[in-house]
Amino acid sequence: MKKIHIIAAAAALFTVFATSSVYAIAGLGFHWGFDLSMSMDNVHDEKINLPIDLSILNLPPALDIEADDFFRVSRANWRRSVLNFGGKVFIDFLPVIDALELSCNFGLWEYDGSLNYIDPTKSLDAGELVRESVPLTLGDLNLKYSGLSGTPYAKLHFDATVKKQLLNLWLVKFTGGAGLSMHFATPLLSNRLVEDALGLTESIDPQALINALIAPGSEESRAIVQKIIDEALGKPVLGAHLLLSARAKLPAIPLGVYIDGKFMLPFNSFDKDAKGVSGFGFLVNTGLSLSI
């Protein structure tokens, strides 16, 4: 009889342990992300409308040019940094929907931004318009921002996801879901950003502006990049996402591991002043969870 009681108790204890791995009530997680959703097309011909007086240069008619074509913005070589992290909280055992999850990710990207301009002296010597460029990157301007060296881009987004269990393999539970997202991002280097950063209100000599931009430690060039940093996480962009997730946890141990794969679907452009930036694509998070 005693053996029967021991066997029964062991069976009950095993059952509790087994179900505890699957039936967490609530929990939280911390993850590292691989965000492949953000992309940017190379742009080399974005005109800037600055108040410059071209008549001062005395360019011949053959080199005639409009004021808004004298300076241009360039963005190229979009690349993802290794820095992308976040967390989440979740509630399981909800009626009908099974689970509700709130999560976030913060990530950094960079690219090569520059300000292109027409060099009056070289243009006169060559008899045609000659363009030069001023690099607008953290490395070139000796600015520091989270270990980046290019022109910085940062994004923080929050997701609210309704989840439904798809498959339960005891130690591993697979869920699917969908929900809404809210994105906050820095502006890209654009015509509007350059115009706002320089803050020119009166017509000036374009050569004087060029000299200021290319001077070592240029305050004007630094102001443009600093404007990007200062406007970090501006107006929100709403969107949706689809989710496929796997979570594994050993019996009676509150720690677990998870992988969340999301497809991000923003409703609007991330930057109305810049061409070619997109937020459609996959995000994969892998992390540790703590549940009760």
Side-chain angles (χ1 to χ4, degrees):
M1 182 67 68
K2 185 175 181 181
K3 288 184 178 180
I4 295 175
H5 288 164
I6 292 174
I7 293 173
L13 187 60
F14 178 81
T15 302
V16 170
F17 282 1
T19 57
S20 69
S21 68
V22 177
Y23 300 114
I25 299 173
L28 53 86
F30 302 96
H31 51 249
W32 199 262
F34 303 89
D35 194 337
L36 306 176
S37 65
M38 297 300 302
S39 64
M40 183 196 74
D41 296 336
N42 292 341
V43 172
H44 300 287
D45 59 353
E46 198 169 87
K47 299 179 180 181
I48 308 175
N49 188 21
L50 296 175
I52 55 177
D53 186 359
L54 294 181
S55 64
I56 298 175
L57 301 177
N58 294 317
L59 293 174
L63 300 181
D64 189 29
I65 190 172
E66 298 294 331
D68 64 355
D69 197 34
F70 192 90
F71 288 97
R72 294 181 179 180
V73 164
S74 173
R75 300 185 299 271
N77 303 321
W78 178 262
R79 51 199 181 271
R80 175 171 49 92
S81 80
V82 297
L83 188 60
N84 192 299
F85 61 91
K88 67 178 179 178
V89 294
F90 56 88
I91 301 175
D92 284 344
F93 279 127
L94 293 176
V96 183
I97 63 173
D98 288 351
L100 176 65
E101 179 177 288
L102 302 176
S103 65
C104 67
N105 274 74
F106 175 78
L108 293 176
W109 291 258
E110 58 183 337
Y111 56 96
D112 297 326
S114 63
L115 188 62
N116 306 324
Y117 62 90
I118 293 173
D119 188 310
T121 302
K122 291 183 178 180
S123 296
L124 287 171
D125 292 341
E128 61 182 9
L129 295 176
V130 177
R131 288 192 176 271
E132 299 290 344
S133 64
V134 180
L136 297 175
T137 66
L138 295 166
D140 286 293
L141 297 172
N142 198 27
L143 293 171
K144 300 186 183 301
Y145 185 74
S146 302
L148 300 182
S149 59
T151 307
Y153 186 86
K155 182 169 75 75
L156 171 68
H157 77 261
F158 297 92
D159 298 331
T161 312
V162 172
K163 301 173 67 176
K164 192 77 174 177
Q165 181 173 294
L166 302 177
L167 182 63
N168 189 341
L169 299 179
W170 181 43
L171 294 180
V172 183
K173 183 166 66 172
F174 295 89
T175 55
L180 297 177
S181 303
M182 182 176 291
H183 305 263
F184 299 86
T186 59
L188 287 167
L189 179 64
S190 67
N191 50 6
R192 192 276 305 171
L193 186 131
V194 172
E195 293 163 9
D196 290 350
L198 295 179
L200 301 176
T201 57
E202 298 181 356
S203 182
I204 65 168
D205 180 353
Q207 185 64 63
L209 179 55
I210 292 171
N211 294 339
L213 289 168
I214 65 177
S218 167
E219 293 184 5
E220 286 76 7
S221 295
R222 291 170 67 95
I224 295 172
V225 178
Q226 190 64 48
K227 182 75 171 176
I228 297 174
I229 298 172
D230 292 343
E231 289 193 10
L233 314 182
K235 295 181 180 179
V237 174
L238 296 178
H241 63 271
L242 303 175
L243 168 74
L244 184 62
S245 177
R247 179 156 56 100
K249 187 172 76 69
L250 292 173
I253 297 177
L255 287 175
V257 296
Y258 63 88
I259 297 177
D260 294 337
K262 297 178 181 179
F263 189 80
M264 312 305 293
L265 299 157
F267 296 152
N268 299 304
S269 171
F270 278 88
D271 195 329
K272 63 182 180 62
D273 297 307
K275 305 174 184 176
V277 60
S278 173
F280 289 89
F282 288 98
L283 163 68
V284 178
N285 288 324
T286 178
L288 298 175
S289 63
L290 178 64
S291 57
I292 58 174

